[in-house]
Amino acid sequence: MSAPTHQREGSLEAPTRHPLDWKNPEFYNEESLFSELERVFDICHGCRRCVSLCHSFPTLFDLVDESETMEVDGVDKKDFWQVVDHCYLCDLCYLTKCPYVPPHEWNVDFPHLMLRAKAFRFQNEGAKTSHKLLSSTDTVGKLAGIPVVAGAVNAANKNATVRKLLDKTVGVHPDAPVPEYHSNKGRSRVAKVAGGVSNPEPAGTTQGRVALYATCYGNYNEPHLVEDLVKVFEHNGIEVTLVEKEQCCGMPKLELGDLESVEASKDANIPAMKKMIDQGYDIVAPVPSCVLMYKQELPLMFPDEQDVATVRDRIFDPFEYLMERHKDGKLNTDFPEKLGKIAYHAACHLRVQNMGLKTRDLLKLVPDTEIETVERCSGHDGTYGVKSEFYETASKICRPVVNRVQKAEADHFSSDCPMAGHMIENGLQGKGEDKAPEHPLTLLRQAYGL
């Protein structure tokens, strides 16, 4: 008699990610897709470890529990789309909760299965015009950033009547936080303030020379972020210049399932970044989602492209970069200003980069500074938190974060993701608190007295 085989309950090995085979016709095969959805949903239903994350899992479990069989086979497959719609590809289930990710034999990659479903639907049905518009960050930013237009757009976004109109036409909830637009863009500010370092030194894996990828948000919505980054980096002897040209990283299109547009963004950005790397620069970007796009999503979509791999290995989060240099004694730790107590929200797309909480660790170096760390999703997640159909759910997801920040009674609250910061601010306003987020780069600049 042969020895019995045993399936492991979970895996203790490090998660590994398989390339996304999105150009294979089988990727878009409806029967194959729904068979895989049913298989993975059945595993999730039996585990339920992810119930406290996004709304995809409670939605799935309610569908199962309310079905006739109380199993996945009793759920109408049309209702599977409800689960897909609530996934915003934060990746926390994959990297922090699921015991069945590869190399486990069950091979569960929930976020990339949701991405496959989104891509299938986009290829076969397209997307709402409003959703396409919300994901076209470059187009909206360029138009709204025109000097006269920027003021008008910002004023309109604060007008209750206009917000109701946006709700009906574009699907932006009247109470959702929407970003301001600036005519004095981030890239223009960098060009004016950079250039104060003449003899940069390498340290650890860093060159000490940085080409800044400003991002759509840093360029159009909060240009002070990139200005703060330049001031902080140059104060640490790091040369800063700009990536010669850039456009959106493609993350909003990825969340929509528009993978062809993601490829178009890749084709525009990767050569410009590779050119800077060849000239001896590292790449840094101030928004975690954009860094994650180049560290993880594009390499998994284009595993055979060497230039994509080169960028993956040379792009950094700002605090990751500074703490890497700290190992070699190249971080300026002379902080003339204390920060007091900070309620720090660790953004999802930062946590899943698997580098630890570098922002928290650096801010801890500031004397007389206390960090209250909140590791939970803010619910904003790209365009999810502003869409009329998801805003209430997003606010519910954010509520525990808001409660933690409020309970901390801190001098500052902060998040590496500026959009998450404003989602938390929105929740605090609902509790009668008028307090604005301060990005960690802004706080670090304050600590340096710059």
Side-chain angles (χ1 to χ4, degrees):
M1 180 181 294
S2 61
T5 59
H6 299 281
Q7 289 184 324
R8 292 172 294 153
E9 171 62 22
S11 176
L12 296 178
E13 299 168 88
T16 58
R17 217 74 191 261
H18 296 313
L20 193 72
D21 196 16
W22 68 283
K23 293 200 173 183
N24 185 339
E26 187 67 13
F27 188 81
Y28 301 95
N29 181 285
E30 184 173 10
E31 183 179 351
S32 171
L33 169 62
F34 275 86
S35 175
E36 181 65 0
L37 285 168
E38 187 167 7
R39 182 188 78 86
V40 170
F41 285 175
D42 190 52
I43 294 170
C44 294
H45 155 58
C47 174
R48 303 202 174 201
R49 201 167 298 184
C50 285
V51 69
S52 64
L53 296 179
C54 71
H55 200 59
S56 286
F57 298 101
T59 299
L60 170 61
F61 304 149
D62 286 347
L63 287 170
V64 172
D65 293 343
E66 293 167 8
S67 71
E68 289 185 6
T69 66
M70 298 187 71
E71 298 287 349
V72 174
D73 62 10
V75 178
D76 189 329
K77 288 187 171 50
K78 291 181 181 178
D79 290 333
F80 283 8
W81 292 112
Q82 295 180 38
V83 181
V84 175
D85 284 338
H86 282 293
C87 175
Y88 32 71
L89 308 178
C90 75
D91 268 7
L92 282 183
C93 60
Y94 188 95
L95 287 177
T96 70
K97 292 285 188 179
C98 184
Y100 306 119
V101 300
H104 192 278
E105 59 197 309
W106 288 356
N107 191 31
V108 173
D109 186 337
F110 190 90
H112 276 181
L113 178 58
M114 297 299 97
L115 177 58
R116 180 184 175 187
K118 291 172 188 286
F120 168 84
R121 183 167 56 185
F122 187 87
Q123 187 181 76
N124 288 277
E125 301 175 11
K128 294 180 181 178
T129 301
S130 60
H131 290 182
K132 288 182 179 179
L133 180 63
L134 287 174
S135 65
S136 299
T137 52
D138 277 322
T139 301
V140 174
K142 287 175 183 177
L143 291 173
I146 296 171
V148 176
V149 176
V153 169
N154 294 335
N157 282 338
K158 296 175 183 177
N159 183 286
T161 302
V162 173
R163 290 302 301 270
K164 288 179 181 178
L165 182 62
L166 281 176
D167 183 18
K168 294 179 180 178
T169 57
V170 187
V172 174
H173 194 280
D175 298 327
V178 292
E180 290 190 348
Y181 290 90
H182 295 264
S183 56
N184 185 12
K185 300 178 180 62
R187 286 178 62 85
S188 299
R189 297 190 188 195
V190 171
K192 291 176 183 177
V193 300
V197 175
S198 56
N199 295 301
E201 297 180 12
T205 61
T206 70
Q207 301 300 315
R209 306 176 71 210
V210 160
L212 177 62
Y213 178 75
T215 75
C216 302
Y217 201 89
N219 196 29
Y220 302 116
N221 303 119
E222 295 197 30
H224 70 87
L225 292 184
V226 293
E227 193 170 351
D228 291 342
L229 187 151
V230 173
K231 291 291 186 181
V232 166
F233 271 48
E234 290 197 342
H235 190 63
N236 280 278
I238 302 167
E239 177 189 342
V240 182
T241 188
L242 285 165
V243 173
E244 189 175 285
K245 60 179 181 178
E246 67 175 80
Q247 64 183 53
C248 177
C249 68
M251 180 64 82
K253 296 297 185 184
L254 186 82
E255 293 171 350
L256 197 62
D258 182 3
L259 302 187
E260 297 289 346
S261 289
V262 174
E263 183 173 31
S265 292
K266 181 267 300 181
D267 290 342
N269 289 319
I270 292 293
M273 291 183 173
K274 176 63 164 51
K275 180 180 178 181
M276 301 307 294
I277 292 169
D278 289 344
Q279 293 175 16
Y281 289 91
D282 300 314
I283 310 296
V284 169
V287 178
S289 297
C290 304
V291 176
L292 183 69
M293 195 70 187
Y294 292 101
K295 278 188 178 181
Q296 174 179 288
E297 300 301 347
L298 291 178
L300 290 172
M301 286 181 66
F302 306 96
D304 299 323
E305 295 195 17
Q306 184 55 50
D307 287 356
V308 171
T310 298
V311 172
R312 174 197 64 201
D313 296 338
R314 301 308 309 165
I315 191 167
F316 296 84
D317 167 82
F319 285 85
E320 175 190 21
Y321 198 84
L322 293 170
M323 288 301 285
E324 176 66 17
R325 294 178 67 79
H326 182 47
K327 294 177 186 177
D328 277 17
K330 296 295 183 182
L331 178 72
N332 187 333
T333 55
D334 181 14
F335 299 104
E337 302 293 334
K338 63 182 182 180
L339 294 173
K341 188 175 183 180
I342 302 169
Y344 165 62
H345 169 255
C348 300
H349 279 172
L350 187 72
R351 292 168 61 194
V352 300
Q353 290 180 38
N354 273 336
M355 63 182 183
L357 298 179
K358 303 300 185 187
T359 302
R360 177 204 63 187
D361 294 345
L362 200 159
L363 292 175
K364 276 185 174 181
L365 298 175
V366 180
D368 299 317
T369 298
E370 178 187 352
I371 313 295
E372 175 83 19
T373 304
V374 182
E375 295 184 69
R376 189 156 183 158
C377 183
S378 72
H380 191 283
D381 302 287
T383 60
Y384 181 86
V386 303
K387 291 177 180 175
S388 300
E389 63 263 48
F390 302 128
Y391 170 75
E392 296 296 339
T393 300
S395 297
K396 183 179 178 181
I397 293 170
C398 190
R399 198 173 302 147
V401 181
V402 171
N403 290 340
R404 286 279 303 277
V405 171
Q406 187 178 42
K407 186 178 179 181
E409 296 182 339
D411 300 294
H412 315 271
F413 82 89
S414 184
S415 176
D416 297 278
C417 174
M419 293 161 282
H422 289 298
M423 191 72 181
I424 299 166
E425 176 188 24
N426 201 50
L428 288 170
Q429 288 175 347
K431 290 175 172 286
E433 291 197 21
D434 187 14
K435 199 170 186 179
E438 297 168 272
H439 194 274
L441 285 168
T442 304
L443 292 176
L444 189 56
R445 181 177 178 179
Q446 290 177 28
Y448 279 131
L450 300 175

